[in-house]
Amino acid sequence: MKQLIRDIANKGRHTEFVWRYGFNFLPLLNYKLSSSTESDKTARKLVENLLRDGIAVSSVDEFADEIEYFPELESSVEKMLEIRRDELRQMKMNANDTEAIGEKTFNVELLGSELMFDPESIYARFALQDTFLNIANAYFGMLVKLRYYNVWQTFATQSEARESQLWHFDREDQYILKLFLYLNDVDEGAGPFTYAPGTHRKGLHKNIQPEYFVEGGVRRTTDEQMNAALPKENWFRAIGKKGTIIFADTRGYHKGGEARTGDRLMFTCMFTSPASQSKRLLSFPKNLDTAKLKKRQISALYL
């Protein structure tokens, strides 16, 4: 009987109503009762775009006084690149290794693949800024949880597109909001984040089903297959200068990192509902000191 109940619950998790009003009822209620649900004009416009298209683009400059820490984050990344210069040079030599499917040899998580949350870290502080939490909470309509942050170094390669360079959608939750902050100029040759607008769960094209093949246990779709389902003139390529900020619901179809003529460097973080069964969880110290965190930041960690 217990197994039957669990099976029914897990099936219900994939329906909007049960996911929102069952598994996420408390964070939904807390958001409705929160006094911090208002956002500025820039943030409201971004949320509107996210609801409609699944993607919204801004920049550090556009937010002006609303976000902090960009110079500190940029400086921290520059120091890390200098320290790891020789190591990264060797990794770049292996970036075209097409035999290592699942290892993403063209993309390096500079903070490591298993990350311990550090409230003093510039990366944690940047991800947990009120402006970003306001946007994520408003998009989900509930208090969200920070699941992941890292800095990605993507190497230019000449091998055939593979893994995340191919179209796919993430599966951690009903909605998955990722933030991508470009730390260098990203043109067409640097593998810009590319999105199929409206293919997220709230979108007009949510029911498209392009053909796919399975690579490393994951469904992947080529440009030709995606073009047959959603013509390429509808795709959005996030080309932008350093400081460009992309918000995207990666439950919609997307790809990125197909860099050919230049490397790409960016900070990223991910928000999901508290009920998400995401496997990419941040780890937390047993005696995490939350004294320097705001109440809403602690809510975003759901410790």
Side-chain angles (χ1 to χ4, degrees), residues 59-286:
S59 68
V60 170
D61 291 338
E62 188 174 3
F63 277 108
D65 298 330
E66 279 74 38
I67 63 174
E68 303 177 90
Y69 311 129
F70 179 65
E72 185 182 349
L73 186 148
E74 189 177 23
S75 176
S76 178
V77 172
E78 288 175 354
K79 291 177 182 177
M80 180 165 48
L81 291 176
E82 180 60 29
I83 292 171
R84 300 184 62 182
R85 180 175 55 186
D86 294 339
E87 176 190 2
L88 291 171
R89 185 183 296 117
Q90 183 61 46
M91 289 181 174
K92 186 169 183 175
M93 293 174 63
N94 299 324
N96 283 294
D97 183 2
T98 59
E99 299 299 318
I101 296 297
E103 297 181 17
K104 269 192 182 181
T105 56
F106 58 86
N107 193 75
V108 178
E109 293 176 300
L110 292 177
L111 301 182
S113 58
E114 296 183 7
L115 194 60
M116 180 70 71
F117 177 79
D118 176 8
E120 299 293 329
S121 163
I122 178 56
Y123 309 106
R125 288 185 284 120
F126 192 89
L128 287 172
Q129 291 181 93
D130 284 351
T131 296
F132 299 148
L133 291 178
N134 285 342
I135 291 171
N137 290 338
Y139 178 65
F140 277 78
M142 66 180 71
L143 298 182
V144 297
K145 183 171 181 178
L146 175 67
R147 293 283 181 168
Y148 174 80
Y149 60 79
N150 218 308
V151 178
W152 291 355
Q153 171 77 68
T154 304
F155 302 124
T157 61
Q158 300 306 315
S159 55
E160 186 176 350
R162 66 189 192 276
E163 299 177 271
S164 60
Q165 295 173 334
L166 295 162
W167 291 96
H168 62 285
F169 62 88
D170 298 337
R171 295 169 170 78
E172 288 92 347
D173 207 353
Q174 288 281 332
Y175 308 113
I176 305 160
L177 187 63
K178 289 186 180 179
L179 178 156
F180 303 100
L181 167 64
Y182 287 167
L183 297 175
N184 65 338
D185 294 348
V186 176
D187 58 17
E188 188 68 46
F193 180 79
T194 303
Y195 195 84
T199 57
H200 60 310
R201 286 290 177 89
K202 298 174 182 282
L204 291 175
H205 305 299
K206 63 183 179 181
N207 293 321
I208 71 164
Q209 296 183 351
E211 293 185 5
Y212 64 88
F213 65 97
V214 177
E215 176 195 67
V218 179
R219 292 183 180 184
R220 305 293 188 190
T221 293
T222 65
D223 282 355
E224 293 74 20
Q225 291 171 326
M226 180 57 71
N227 183 58
L230 186 70
K232 60 183 180 181
E233 55 264 28
N234 295 313
W235 305 349
F236 181 83
R237 291 176 176 81
I239 294 171
K241 297 289 186 180
K242 178 172 66 174
T244 295
I245 301 176
I246 304 158
F247 300 89
D249 184 343
T250 56
R251 195 64 177 78
Y253 279 95
H254 64 283
K255 65 172 187 169
E258 193 176 350
R260 300 306 186 190
T261 61
D263 295 351
R264 185 187 67 179
L265 182 67
M266 67 183 184
F267 169 81
T268 183
C269 60
M270 178 175 78
F271 300 95
T272 71
S273 76
S276 168
Q277 294 180 311
S278 170
K279 295 180 180 180
R280 304 197 76 183
L281 289 172
L282 288 167
S283 297
F284 295 94
K286 290 183 179 179

